[in-house]
């Protein structure tokens, strides 16, 4: 972890060697002599139901003399091992700590340039307070409250207790001129003094954060100007406990301290990101006075320290669905002592606050067109509607689109193939790799590849290569690799009864196998079936506009997504990547209280569809296994792409089985 690569190795294999065979980069500059310390790893202990293994520290060889010597001379953090010296003795889940990773996953979640009308929940109020007088025995705090009421109309002010012992010293330090930070989320609630500064304090900041199951994105914004000061992203460290959400729920169920371990992991990562955005923006943590967090329901619950077990099975009950208000100090995120946190409401058991934030950002409820909003992750969240009616659902796509469960799959990191094109005549591929500027058929590629490496294939390229294989006839509409094409190209390889496509012949060898294609078909069919259910509920046969949200949605080509049948037919210029829409929605809620009320009201009106209870889901799923779909037409796509004539092959690659399957269905 966090790359998700897995394999089997003989007992006694060094962990470093296993990592290299799997194409996982673990730095080692000392040749395995245990002197550089760059190859540190740690064991994640527990029962990992998805992998059907129990991982334990004693499944590694005991610490030997080389590691002991390094620990004495250079200091080895507790729980870390040197992978060049640690030998595999049993089943293991190995975590490669992010602080040791040179070519870590690329987390590309910068804030967009949207201008957001400013009406934050925290208001900075400069006042000049009347000095104490022997004839007016009013306390300093009471005179401060009177000045705020007179100048800023904040009557009936409440005061955070931590400030009461400090008021007198702050007033005198500021020579009776102070800046008060007043928090009021709703006009109906009493305003509250949460911070007090001597003199004029002309800055205050807030953070907006999207806690994704794979990545976390954080934005630091000025509450006074609305400007985004800094943005940062990181891998979600919970990946080590399970790549998809249900795996993490299983880990909690099977390990007594699982919930606490995952809560601590995500809060630790958030604290690191807060430090990073503050350092990048030249801001003190003390000056952060408000924060907004969003996430899917399981991330939401784990962040708050809530056991997510109830979300692991029907009826998928949320512990809390409405907006949550709390102090940052209550959940281990120390900023200012008065910092307040707001969490957007969750829509349903598997449609979370992140989908609510994306809805707020893209606004299907504010327009006449029928808009489809899809956030493609390990659990796809789908919203469809217009100003008259909005429906929402989730669909269990699994982690295939992020590289997991794909033989050569990996997350987006330097060395990962991210774009693929296949020549329709020669069937030769050309591809682009993260960290390498030229395409594979351009001058300079091989020299760059020798330095960066070509280690696997990430989500955007997985979609493109399967779509290209379909467009060039390598696979049929049923997703079967056509074995007869071995006569046309040496890149069609036989693997027993099935065939695969050789994308790159190197070290490691990168192929697209029949099982890989099946994994993508299952994932895309689950998503499309969820979309079709929502279209049924709306009584429509086409959508006017599609927004692809999230990091994955940002980097997939809409044309190839449609060829694959990941999304329904639509005019291609109406299909847009909307970036980290959840992060944008979080920023909107941070900078404008009105947006909080808007999304709270909208979520109450959204109709939630539970795909597991819908009888037509299975029918839509079966049709969606075909490329792009067995029954749905794609006229808009056909205007820009020549779709191949329907050709079906058997699972062993031979021709003719398609006709037999049709007869059996009839």
């Amino acid at each position: 972890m966090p790359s998700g690569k897995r394999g089997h190795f003989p007992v006694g294999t060094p962990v470093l060697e296993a990592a290299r065979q799997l194409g996982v980069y673990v730095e080692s500059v000392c040749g395995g002599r245990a002197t550089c310390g760059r190859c540190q790893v740690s064991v994640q202990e527990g029962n990992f139901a998805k992998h059907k293994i129990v991982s334990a520290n004693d499944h590694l060889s005991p610490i030997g003399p080389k590691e002991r010597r390094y620990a004495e001379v250079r200091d080895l953090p507790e729980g870390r091992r040197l992978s060049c010296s640690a030998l595999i003795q049993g089943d293991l889940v190995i975590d490669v700590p992010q602080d040791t990773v040179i070519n870590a996953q690329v987390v590309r979640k910068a804030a967009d340039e949207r201008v957001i009308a400013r009406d934050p929940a925290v208001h900075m109020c400069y006042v000049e307070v009347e000095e104490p007088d022997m004839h007016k025995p009013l306390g300093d705090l009471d005179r401060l409250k009177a000045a705020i009421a007179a100048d800023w109309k904040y009557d009936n002010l409440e005061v955070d207790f931590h400030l009461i012992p400090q008021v007198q010293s702050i007033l005198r330090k500021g020579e009776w001129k102070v800046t008060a930070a007043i928090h009021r989320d709703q006009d109906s609630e009493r305003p509250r003094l949460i911070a007090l500064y001597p003199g004029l304090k002309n800055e205050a900041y807030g953070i907006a954060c999207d806690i994704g199951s794979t990545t976390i994105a954080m934005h630091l914004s000025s509450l006074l100007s609305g400007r985004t000061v800094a943005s940062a992203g990181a891998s979600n460290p919970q990946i080590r406990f399970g790549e998809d959400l249900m795996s993490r729920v299983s880990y909690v169920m099977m390990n007594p301290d699982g919930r606490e371990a995952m809560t601590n992991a995500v809060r630790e990562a958030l604290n690191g990101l807060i430090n990073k955005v503050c350092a990048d923006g030249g801001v003190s943590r003390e000056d952060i006075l408000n924060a907004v967090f969003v996430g899917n329901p399981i991330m939401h619950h784990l962040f708050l320290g809530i056991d997510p077990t109830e979300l692991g099975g029907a009826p998928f009950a949320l512990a809390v669905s409405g907006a949550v208000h709390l102090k940052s100090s209550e959940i281990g995120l120390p900023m200012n002592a008065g910092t307040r946190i707001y969490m957007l409401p969750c829509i349903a058991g598997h449609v979370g606050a992140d989908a609510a934030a994306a809805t707020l950002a893209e606004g299907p409820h504010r327009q006449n067109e029928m808009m489809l909003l899809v956030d493609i992750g390990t659990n796809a969240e789908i919203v469809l509607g217009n100003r008259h009616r909005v429906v929402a659902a989730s669909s269990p796509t699994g982690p295939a689109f992020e590289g997991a469960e794909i033989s050569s799959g990996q997350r987006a990191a330097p060395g990962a193939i991210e774009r693929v094109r296949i020549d329709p005549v020669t069937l030769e591929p050309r591809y682009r790799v993260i960290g390498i500027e030229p395409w594979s058929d351009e001058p300079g590629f091989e020299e760059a590849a020798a330095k960066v490496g070509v280690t696997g294939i990430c989500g955007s390229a997985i979609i493109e290569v399967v779509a290209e294989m379909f467009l060039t006839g390598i696979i049929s509409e049923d997703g079967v690799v056509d074995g007869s094409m071995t006569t046309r190209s040496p890149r069609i390889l036989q693997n027993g009864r099935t065939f695969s496509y050789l994308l790159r012949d190197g070290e490691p060898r990168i192929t697209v196998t029949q099982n890989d294609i099946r994994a993508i078909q299952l994932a895309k069919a689950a998503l499309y079936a969820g979309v079709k259910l929502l279209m049924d509920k709306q009584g429509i046969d086409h959508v006017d506009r599609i927004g692809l949200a999230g990091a994955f949605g940002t980097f997939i080509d809409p044309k190839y997504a449609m060829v694959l049948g990941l999304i329904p037919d639509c005019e291609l210029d109406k299909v847009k990547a909307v970036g980290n829409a959840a992060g944008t929605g979080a920023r909107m809620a941070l900078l404008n209280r009105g947006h909080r009320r808007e999304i709270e009201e909208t979520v109450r009106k959204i109709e939630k569809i539970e795909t597991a209870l819908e009888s037509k889901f299975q029918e839509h799923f079966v049709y969606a296994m075909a490329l792009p779909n067995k029954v749905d037409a794609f006229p808009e796509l056909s205007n820009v792409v020549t779709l191949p004539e329907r050709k079906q092959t058997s699972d062993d690659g031979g021709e003719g089985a398609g006709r037999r399957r049709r007869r059996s269905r009839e």
Side-chain angles (χ1 to χ4, degrees):
M1 295 296 186
S3 66
K5 296 292 187 72
R6 67 206 73 188
H8 294 82
F9 302 92
V11 169
T13 302
V15 173
L16 179 62
E17 177 58 29
R20 285 174 172 167
Q21 288 187 38
L22 288 172
V24 176
Y25 182 79
V26 178
E27 188 177 16
S28 177
V29 298
C30 68
R33 292 191 292 272
T35 57
C36 72
R38 301 286 185 88
C39 67
Q40 295 178 25
V41 297
S42 60
V43 174
Q44 295 303 314
E45 293 196 290
N47 188 329
F48 292 82
K50 179 179 178 181
H51 308 316
K52 298 182 176 62
I53 66 169
V54 175
S55 173
N57 270 308
D58 58 11
H59 292 179
L60 277 181
S61 59
I63 294 177
K66 288 183 178 180
E67 284 180 283
R68 277 198 295 270
R69 185 178 68 249
Y70 179 84
E72 291 167 0
V73 175
R74 302 281 295 278
D75 184 37
L76 189 63
E78 186 177 354
R80 297 275 182 94
R81 296 292 302 272
L82 298 182
S83 61
C84 62
S85 298
L87 309 181
I88 297 170
Q89 303 292 337
D91 293 336
L92 290 161
V93 174
I94 296 290
D95 185 43
V96 183
Q98 291 300 290
D99 57 80
T100 68
V101 177
I102 302 301
N103 61 343
Q105 178 181 356
V106 179
V107 181
R108 299 177 273 198
K109 288 195 172 183
D112 66 11
E113 299 300 317
R114 185 176 312 206
V115 177
I116 301 168
R118 197 179 56 78
D119 180 21
V122 175
H123 192 192
M124 302 297 281
C125 304
Y126 174 78
V127 292
E128 297 184 5
V129 181
E130 185 180 346
E131 295 187 34
D133 188 320
M134 291 284 287
H135 302 289
K136 297 178 182 177
L138 205 59
D140 287 353
L141 176 58
D142 299 281
R143 278 181 285 104
L144 170 64
K145 291 165 73 174
I148 292 171
D151 291 355
W152 296 96
K153 310 306 178 191
Y154 283 121
D155 299 311
N156 203 18
L157 186 70
E158 293 185 323
V159 181
D160 269 8
F161 179 76
H162 75 273
L163 286 174
I164 294 176
Q166 305 174 41
V167 167
Q168 288 192 310
S169 61
I170 293 171
L171 284 170
R172 284 157 180 78
K173 185 176 180 182
E175 298 178 342
W176 309 100
K177 301 175 184 67
V178 293
T179 303
I182 309 296
H183 177 270
R184 182 158 68 174
D185 184 81
Q186 300 188 54
D187 290 337
S188 60
E189 68 184 27
R190 289 176 63 183
R192 176 174 285 273
L193 179 65
I194 63 170
L196 188 66
Y197 304 92
L200 176 64
K201 177 75 169 177
N202 204 21
E203 56 184 11
Y205 298 91
I207 54 174
C209 184
D210 172 22
I211 307 173
S213 54
T214 304
T215 58
I216 304 172
M218 182 177 289
H219 309 297
L220 175 68
S221 297
S222 166
L223 297 178
L224 302 180
S225 69
R227 180 175 63 94
T228 299
V229 177
S231 297
S235 297
N236 187 330
Q238 293 175 347
I239 290 171
R240 66 177 70 120
F241 302 103
E243 289 157 332
D244 59 75
L245 297 172
M246 287 301 102
S247 294
R248 296 181 203 178
V249 174
S250 295
Y251 187 86
V252 170
M253 294 170 68
M254 302 184 74
N255 296 277
D257 60 349
R259 197 280 308 157
E260 184 180 4
M262 277 194 267
T263 295
N264 290 340
V266 74
R267 290 180 183 175
E268 183 179 332
L270 290 169
N271 272 314
L273 279 177
I274 293 170
N275 286 336
K276 184 172 190 335
V277 293
C278 285
D280 292 348
V283 171
S284 166
R285 282 180 76 126
E286 283 284 318
D287 289 336
I288 298 174
L289 299 177
N290 204 201
V292 173
F293 289 89
V294 301
N296 63 57
I298 290 171
M299 295 301 97
H300 173 282
H301 279 35
L302 287 171
F303 168 65
L304 291 174
I306 300 170
D307 188 326
T309 300
E310 293 297 329
L311 293 169
F316 311 109
L318 289 155
V320 55
S321 57
V324 177
H325 305 259
L326 65 153
K327 294 178 71 171
S328 66
S329 57
E330 294 173 333
I331 55 170
L333 297 180
M335 290 176 268
N336 189 288
T339 301
R340 292 312 198 266
I341 287 176
Y342 173 81
M343 295 194 73
L344 271 69
C346 290
I347 296 175
H350 282 296
V351 189
D354 53 348
T359 301
L360 175 62
E362 296 308 311
H365 58 289
R366 294 191 290 264
Q367 55 190 273
N368 291 319
E369 287 186 306
M370 188 61 71
M371 180 181 185
L372 173 67
L373 182 61
V374 184
D375 190 341
I376 308 169
T378 53
N379 191 68
E381 294 171 315
I382 315 162
V383 178
L384 175 67
N386 55 21
R387 67 174 68 254
H388 302 295
R389 184 187 183 200
V390 180
V391 293
S394 67
S395 211
T397 53
F401 291 137
E402 295 174 339
E405 300 180 350
I406 303 298
S407 60
S408 297
Q410 68 167 88
R411 303 196 188 281
I417 295 173
E418 63 172 346
R419 292 277 177 261
V420 178
R421 302 290 182 269
I422 299 176
D423 187 286
V425 177
T426 65
L427 305 186
E428 285 297 300
R430 56 192 294 266
Y431 45 84
R432 190 166 185 178
V433 176
I434 297 175
I436 300 176
E437 191 62 30
W439 283 68
S440 60
D441 60 344
E442 294 176 348
F445 174 83
E446 289 300 337
E447 292 81 356
K451 297 176 183 177
V452 176
V454 182
T455 53
I457 180 167
C458 71
S460 58
I462 290 167
I463 284 181
E464 291 191 5
V465 73
V466 175
E468 283 278 312
M469 289 171 72
F470 173 60
L471 291 174
T472 54
I474 296 173
I475 60 176
S476 68
E477 69 161 354
D478 286 337
V480 179
V481 181
D482 185 353
S484 68
M485 299 193 90
T486 53
T487 57
R488 278 186 56 188
S489 171
R491 290 190 175 272
I492 311 300
L493 308 176
Q494 185 163 4
N495 313 107
R497 294 189 62 201
T498 63
F499 295 83
S500 59
Y501 178 74
L502 177 63
L503 185 57
R504 177 177 172 83
D505 193 3
E507 185 56 46
R509 200 178 202 211
I510 299 172
T511 61
V512 181
T513 69
Q514 185 64 69
N515 285 340
D516 295 339
I517 295 166
R518 283 285 179 259
I520 293 300
Q521 285 179 279
L522 290 168
K524 76 97 175 179
L527 173 56
Y528 193 90
V531 171
K532 284 290 290 184
L533 279 180
L534 297 190
M535 292 174 68
D536 291 346
K537 295 295 179 183
Q538 291 279 21
I540 59 172
D541 58 10
H542 76 282
V543 297
D544 300 315
R545 184 178 299 276
I546 299 176
L548 300 173
F552 181 65
T554 300
F555 294 99
I556 61 175
D557 186 315
K559 179 180 76 173
Y560 286 106
M562 208 174 287
V563 170
L564 193 67
L566 188 68
I567 53 177
D569 191 56
C570 183
E571 292 179 46
L572 274 176
D573 62 359
K574 295 287 188 73
V575 183
K576 302 291 184 187
V578 296
N580 182 19
T584 300
R587 283 203 308 123
M588 292 170 67
L590 173 70
L591 296 173
N592 191 306
R593 298 178 304 153
H595 288 313
R596 300 183 185 187
R597 307 293 83 78
E598 177 190 351
I599 195 57
E600 288 167 6
E601 181 182 355
T602 300
V603 165
R604 283 193 290 270
K605 294 179 179 177
I606 291 176
E607 298 174 44
K608 298 85 177 176
I609 310 302
E610 181 50 63
T611 56
L613 301 178
E614 296 292 330
S615 58
K616 288 203 72 175
F617 181 84
Q618 189 64 28
E619 179 184 331
H620 288 317
F621 181 88
V622 170
Y623 289 147
M625 283 291 288
L627 303 177
N629 193 278
K630 184 68 73 176
V631 295
D632 288 353
F634 281 73
E636 296 293 346
L637 178 63
S638 298
N639 288 335
V640 293
V641 174
T642 302
L643 294 174
E645 290 186 18
R646 292 193 162 178
K647 166 174 85 168
Q648 295 169 316
T649 60
S650 67
D651 280 349
D652 64 2
E655 296 277 5
R659 186 180 301 275
R660 288 194 296 274
R661 282 203 301 276
R662 282 200 299 275
R663 278 204 299 268
S664 66
R665 279 200 298 270
E666 292 164 1

